[in-house]
Amino acid sequence: MSGGYNLPWFPAWGIEFDTPIGNLQKIIYKFNKIRPNNRWLLVRFDSVASEFHLWSTWISVVTKEINDAMIAKSVDVEFQRLLSGNRQISKAFEIVGLSKEDSCAWIISIPKISEQLNLELSVISRNSYSDLDDVSTELIRRLGAKLLPKRPMPSINGLKKMGIETKNQDFHPRKKKSC
């Protein structure tokens, strides 16, 4: 990443389902039942553009959480709302939520501020990803999915879904919708 930033990996794991999602409610219900708490969520694979996208969303979410200024009633929904770049929760679900026929997703864990950020030094923990590896591995197993050896990067489809036009000739994001 340019600009001198050396961000650690955000606690997000790319997954691929054995088959494209047929029954969306079943997957969401299952994930909500097996996740450790509401700081874990599933989002559309192409809705996450970068580590910076995730960390900047996180900073906004925890700031709103601390100041009791969230629009959503839960931290996972607020994260999705801010990740989408949209004020409306229903529109955010359309942008970053899973859809029928999706074959890939991101499992995301939203770090708690007291564990991950030293407010005096503004340092993000380097262990925020690796500390949750066992939990994520179990969630992936229980969903019947497999871990993808990929990190977030922009896709044409994801950027279009968020209302971002790409006219820059030097920009070469993923072109395929699939993972």
mmCIF file of all heavy atoms in Angstrom, residues 63-88:
data_model
loop_
_atom_site.group_PDB
_atom_site.id
_atom_site.type_symbol
_atom_site.label_atom_id
_atom_site.label_comp_id
_atom_site.label_asym_id
_atom_site.label_seq_id
_atom_site.Cartn_x
_atom_site.Cartn_y
_atom_site.Cartn_z
ATOM 1 N N THR A 63 -15.799 4.301 16.752
ATOM 2 C CA THR A 63 -16.007 5.683 17.199
ATOM 3 C C THR A 63 -17.482 5.919 17.481
ATOM 4 O O THR A 63 -17.851 6.478 18.519
ATOM 5 C CB THR A 63 -15.496 6.679 16.140
ATOM 6 O OG1 THR A 63 -14.098 6.454 15.944
ATOM 7 C CG2 THR A 63 -15.720 8.115 16.575
ATOM 8 N N LYS A 64 -18.339 5.471 16.577
ATOM 9 C CA LYS A 64 -19.791 5.612 16.775
ATOM 10 C C LYS A 64 -20.265 4.764 17.954
ATOM 11 O O LYS A 64 -21.119 5.180 18.717
ATOM 12 C CB LYS A 64 -20.543 5.228 15.500
ATOM 13 C CG LYS A 64 -20.367 6.247 14.387
ATOM 14 C CD LYS A 64 -21.119 5.831 13.139
ATOM 15 C CE LYS A 64 -20.940 6.820 12.028
ATOM 16 N NZ LYS A 64 -21.395 8.154 12.310
ATOM 17 N N GLU A 65 -19.695 3.591 18.106
ATOM 18 C CA GLU A 65 -20.054 2.700 19.217
ATOM 19 C C GLU A 65 -19.712 3.346 20.560
ATOM 20 O O GLU A 65 -20.534 3.372 21.474
ATOM 21 C CB GLU A 65 -19.319 1.371 19.037
ATOM 22 C CG GLU A 65 -19.690 0.299 20.025
ATOM 23 C CD GLU A 65 -18.924 -0.996 19.779
ATOM 24 O OE1 GLU A 65 -17.790 -0.974 19.253
ATOM 25 O OE2 GLU A 65 -19.474 -2.050 20.145
ATOM 26 N N ILE A 66 -18.518 3.893 20.671
ATOM 27 C CA ILE A 66 -18.081 4.542 21.909
ATOM 28 C C ILE A 66 -18.937 5.770 22.231
ATOM 29 O O ILE A 66 -19.287 6.017 23.378
ATOM 30 C CB ILE A 66 -16.592 4.948 21.814
ATOM 31 C CG1 ILE A 66 -15.717 3.710 21.880
ATOM 32 C CG2 ILE A 66 -16.206 5.933 22.904
ATOM 33 C CD1 ILE A 66 -14.272 3.969 21.528
ATOM 34 N N ASN A 67 -19.277 6.518 21.198
ATOM 35 C CA ASN A 67 -20.065 7.749 21.386
ATOM 36 C C ASN A 67 -21.570 7.512 21.372
ATOM 37 O O ASN A 67 -22.336 8.476 21.377
ATOM 38 C CB ASN A 67 -19.689 8.771 20.307
ATOM 39 C CG ASN A 67 -18.264 9.232 20.457
ATOM 40 O OD1 ASN A 67 -17.755 9.404 21.561
ATOM 41 N ND2 ASN A 67 -17.583 9.412 19.335
ATOM 42 N N ASP A 68 -21.969 6.244 21.354
ATOM 43 C CA ASP A 68 -23.387 5.878 21.313
ATOM 44 C C ASP A 68 -24.108 6.607 20.162
ATOM 45 O O ASP A 68 -25.176 7.177 20.341
ATOM 46 C CB ASP A 68 -24.060 6.179 22.658
ATOM 47 C CG ASP A 68 -25.365 5.418 22.839
ATOM 48 O OD1 ASP A 68 -25.522 4.356 22.204
ATOM 49 O OD2 ASP A 68 -26.219 5.901 23.597
ATOM 50 N N ALA A 69 -23.474 6.587 18.991
ATOM 51 C CA ALA A 69 -23.993 7.326 17.842
ATOM 52 C C ALA A 69 -24.278 6.422 16.639
ATOM 53 O O ALA A 69 -24.384 6.903 15.513
ATOM 54 C CB ALA A 69 -23.000 8.414 17.452
ATOM 55 N N MET A 70 -24.391 5.114 16.872
ATOM 56 C CA MET A 70 -24.669 4.208 15.759
ATOM 57 C C MET A 70 -26.104 4.405 15.275
ATOM 58 O O MET A 70 -27.003 4.617 16.081
ATOM 59 C CB MET A 70 -24.469 2.740 16.175
ATOM 60 C CG MET A 70 -23.054 2.385 16.503
ATOM 61 S SD MET A 70 -22.724 0.598 16.683
ATOM 62 C CE MET A 70 -24.135 -0.038 17.531
ATOM 63 N N ILE A 71 -26.290 4.312 13.977
ATOM 64 C CA ILE A 71 -27.640 4.351 13.413
ATOM 65 C C ILE A 71 -28.297 2.991 13.590
ATOM 66 O O ILE A 71 -29.463 2.889 13.968
ATOM 67 C CB ILE A 71 -27.597 4.775 11.929
ATOM 68 C CG1 ILE A 71 -27.206 6.250 11.839
ATOM 69 C CG2 ILE A 71 -28.933 4.513 11.243
ATOM 70 C CD1 ILE A 71 -26.996 6.772 10.441
ATOM 71 N N ALA A 72 -27.554 1.918 13.320
ATOM 72 C CA ALA A 72 -28.065 0.557 13.497
ATOM 73 C C ALA A 72 -28.090 0.203 14.979
ATOM 74 O O ALA A 72 -27.382 0.806 15.793
ATOM 75 C CB ALA A 72 -27.195 -0.429 12.731
ATOM 76 N N LYS A 73 -28.886 -0.796 15.320
ATOM 77 C CA LYS A 73 -28.999 -1.229 16.715
ATOM 78 C C LYS A 73 -27.916 -2.211 17.121
ATOM 79 O O LYS A 73 -27.742 -2.488 18.300
ATOM 80 C CB LYS A 73 -30.373 -1.848 16.957
ATOM 81 C CG LYS A 73 -31.492 -0.845 16.841
ATOM 82 C CD LYS A 73 -32.836 -1.485 17.087
ATOM 83 C CE LYS A 73 -33.944 -0.457 16.906
ATOM 84 N NZ LYS A 73 -35.275 -1.038 17.058
ATOM 85 N N SER A 74 -27.194 -2.767 16.145
ATOM 86 C CA SER A 74 -26.129 -3.718 16.466
ATOM 87 C C SER A 74 -24.864 -3.373 15.679
ATOM 88 O O SER A 74 -24.925 -2.798 14.596
ATOM 89 C CB SER A 74 -26.569 -5.159 16.171
ATOM 90 O OG SER A 74 -26.781 -5.329 14.788
ATOM 91 N N VAL A 75 -23.741 -3.756 16.240
ATOM 92 C CA VAL A 75 -22.447 -3.391 15.663
ATOM 93 C C VAL A 75 -22.218 -4.059 14.306
ATOM 94 O O VAL A 75 -21.615 -3.466 13.411
ATOM 95 C CB VAL A 75 -21.300 -3.665 16.669
ATOM 96 C CG1 VAL A 75 -21.071 -5.142 16.870
ATOM 97 C CG2 VAL A 75 -20.035 -2.960 16.256
ATOM 98 N N ASP A 76 -22.711 -5.282 14.112
ATOM 99 C CA ASP A 76 -22.515 -5.957 12.833
ATOM 100 C C ASP A 76 -23.280 -5.269 11.704
ATOM 101 O O ASP A 76 -22.759 -5.103 10.598
ATOM 102 C CB ASP A 76 -22.877 -7.442 12.912
ATOM 103 C CG ASP A 76 -24.292 -7.713 13.388
ATOM 104 O OD1 ASP A 76 -24.905 -6.855 14.056
ATOM 105 O OD2 ASP A 76 -24.795 -8.823 13.106
ATOM 106 N N VAL A 77 -24.484 -4.815 11.987
ATOM 107 C CA VAL A 77 -25.275 -4.104 10.977
ATOM 108 C C VAL A 77 -24.667 -2.724 10.714
ATOM 109 O O VAL A 77 -24.595 -2.276 9.566
ATOM 110 C CB VAL A 77 -26.757 -4.001 11.402
ATOM 111 C CG1 VAL A 77 -27.553 -3.137 10.434
ATOM 112 C CG2 VAL A 77 -27.372 -5.399 11.507
ATOM 113 N N GLU A 78 -24.194 -2.061 11.762
ATOM 114 C CA GLU A 78 -23.548 -0.759 11.580
ATOM 115 C C GLU A 78 -22.289 -0.898 10.719
ATOM 116 O O GLU A 78 -22.016 -0.055 9.865
ATOM 117 C CB GLU A 78 -23.207 -0.131 12.936
ATOM 118 C CG GLU A 78 -22.660 1.274 12.858
ATOM 119 C CD GLU A 78 -23.695 2.330 12.470
ATOM 120 O OE1 GLU A 78 -24.893 2.012 12.275
ATOM 121 O OE2 GLU A 78 -23.300 3.498 12.352
ATOM 122 N N PHE A 79 -21.536 -1.967 10.921
ATOM 123 C CA PHE A 79 -20.339 -2.201 10.116
ATOM 124 C C PHE A 79 -20.724 -2.363 8.646
ATOM 125 O O PHE A 79 -20.093 -1.774 7.760
ATOM 126 C CB PHE A 79 -19.593 -3.441 10.617
ATOM 127 C CG PHE A 79 -18.222 -3.597 10.030
ATOM 128 C CD1 PHE A 79 -17.115 -3.069 10.666
ATOM 129 C CD2 PHE A 79 -18.037 -4.274 8.835
ATOM 130 C CE1 PHE A 79 -15.839 -3.199 10.125
ATOM 131 C CE2 PHE A 79 -16.768 -4.415 8.280
ATOM 132 C CZ PHE A 79 -15.672 -3.878 8.928
ATOM 133 N N GLN A 80 -21.759 -3.135 8.376
ATOM 134 C CA GLN A 80 -22.206 -3.329 6.995
ATOM 135 C C GLN A 80 -22.684 -2.015 6.381
ATOM 136 O O GLN A 80 -22.405 -1.729 5.212
ATOM 137 C CB GLN A 80 -23.318 -4.375 6.927
ATOM 138 C CG GLN A 80 -22.813 -5.776 7.206
ATOM 139 C CD GLN A 80 -23.918 -6.792 7.156
ATOM 140 O OE1 GLN A 80 -24.431 -7.076 6.086
ATOM 141 N NE2 GLN A 80 -24.276 -7.337 8.300
ATOM 142 N N ARG A 81 -23.386 -1.235 7.170
ATOM 143 C CA ARG A 81 -23.893 0.054 6.684
ATOM 144 C C ARG A 81 -22.735 0.954 6.273
ATOM 145 O O ARG A 81 -22.720 1.530 5.181
ATOM 146 C CB ARG A 81 -24.733 0.727 7.776
ATOM 147 C CG ARG A 81 -25.430 2.004 7.326
ATOM 148 C CD ARG A 81 -26.173 2.652 8.480
ATOM 149 N NE ARG A 81 -25.280 3.290 9.427
ATOM 150 C CZ ARG A 81 -24.667 4.456 9.224
ATOM 151 N NH1 ARG A 81 -24.851 5.130 8.121
ATOM 152 N NH2 ARG A 81 -23.874 4.972 10.141
ATOM 153 N N LEU A 82 -21.728 1.057 7.121
ATOM 154 C CA LEU A 82 -20.582 1.923 6.829
ATOM 155 C C LEU A 82 -19.679 1.342 5.740
ATOM 156 O O LEU A 82 -19.144 2.087 4.922
ATOM 157 C CB LEU A 82 -19.802 2.210 8.104
ATOM 158 C CG LEU A 82 -20.560 3.053 9.137
ATOM 159 C CD1 LEU A 82 -19.821 3.088 10.461
ATOM 160 C CD2 LEU A 82 -20.810 4.458 8.609
ATOM 161 N N LEU A 83 -19.535 0.036 5.719
ATOM 162 C CA LEU A 83 -18.746 -0.612 4.669
ATOM 163 C C LEU A 83 -19.336 -0.316 3.291
ATOM 164 O O LEU A 83 -18.613 -0.113 2.319
ATOM 165 C CB LEU A 83 -18.697 -2.121 4.909
ATOM 166 C CG LEU A 83 -17.815 -2.945 3.980
ATOM 167 C CD1 LEU A 83 -16.340 -2.633 4.218
ATOM 168 C CD2 LEU A 83 -18.078 -4.430 4.187
ATOM 169 N N SER A 84 -20.655 -0.251 3.224
ATOM 170 C CA SER A 84 -21.347 -0.015 1.952
ATOM 171 C C SER A 84 -21.251 1.436 1.498
ATOM 172 O O SER A 84 -21.475 1.735 0.325
ATOM 173 C CB SER A 84 -22.820 -0.389 2.078
ATOM 174 O OG SER A 84 -23.531 0.597 2.804
ATOM 175 N N GLY A 85 -20.974 2.342 2.430
ATOM 176 C CA GLY A 85 -20.945 3.760 2.097
ATOM 177 C C GLY A 85 -22.333 4.359 1.972
ATOM 178 O O GLY A 85 -22.504 5.422 1.382
ATOM 179 N N ASN A 86 -23.326 3.693 2.549
ATOM 180 C CA ASN A 86 -24.703 4.155 2.431
ATOM 181 C C ASN A 86 -25.309 4.371 3.809
ATOM 182 O O ASN A 86 -25.063 3.599 4.723
ATOM 183 C CB ASN A 86 -25.526 3.129 1.645
ATOM 184 C CG ASN A 86 -26.797 3.715 1.107
ATOM 185 O OD1 ASN A 86 -27.723 3.970 1.865
ATOM 186 N ND2 ASN A 86 -26.845 3.940 -0.188
ATOM 187 N N ARG A 87 -26.122 5.389 3.945
ATOM 188 C CA ARG A 87 -26.768 5.683 5.229
ATOM 189 C C ARG A 87 -27.920 4.730 5.544
ATOM 190 O O ARG A 87 -28.205 4.454 6.695
ATOM 191 C CB ARG A 87 -27.331 7.110 5.215
ATOM 192 C CG ARG A 87 -26.460 8.080 5.972
ATOM 193 C CD ARG A 87 -27.098 9.439 6.069
ATOM 194 N NE ARG A 87 -27.901 9.710 7.243
ATOM 195 C CZ ARG A 87 -27.467 9.768 8.484
ATOM 196 N NH1 ARG A 87 -26.218 9.521 8.751
ATOM 197 N NH2 ARG A 87 -28.274 10.068 9.467
ATOM 198 N N GLN A 88 -28.573 4.246 4.507
ATOM 199 C CA GLN A 88 -29.755 3.401 4.712
ATOM 200 C C GLN A 88 -29.351 1.950 4.919
ATOM 201 O O GLN A 88 -28.615 1.372 4.109
ATOM 202 C CB GLN A 88 -30.700 3.510 3.529
ATOM 203 C CG GLN A 88 -31.287 4.871 3.347
ATOM 204 C CD GLN A 88 -32.189 4.928 2.122
ATOM 205 O OE1 GLN A 88 -32.071 4.129 1.211
ATOM 206 N NE2 GLN A 88 -33.091 5.893 2.129
#
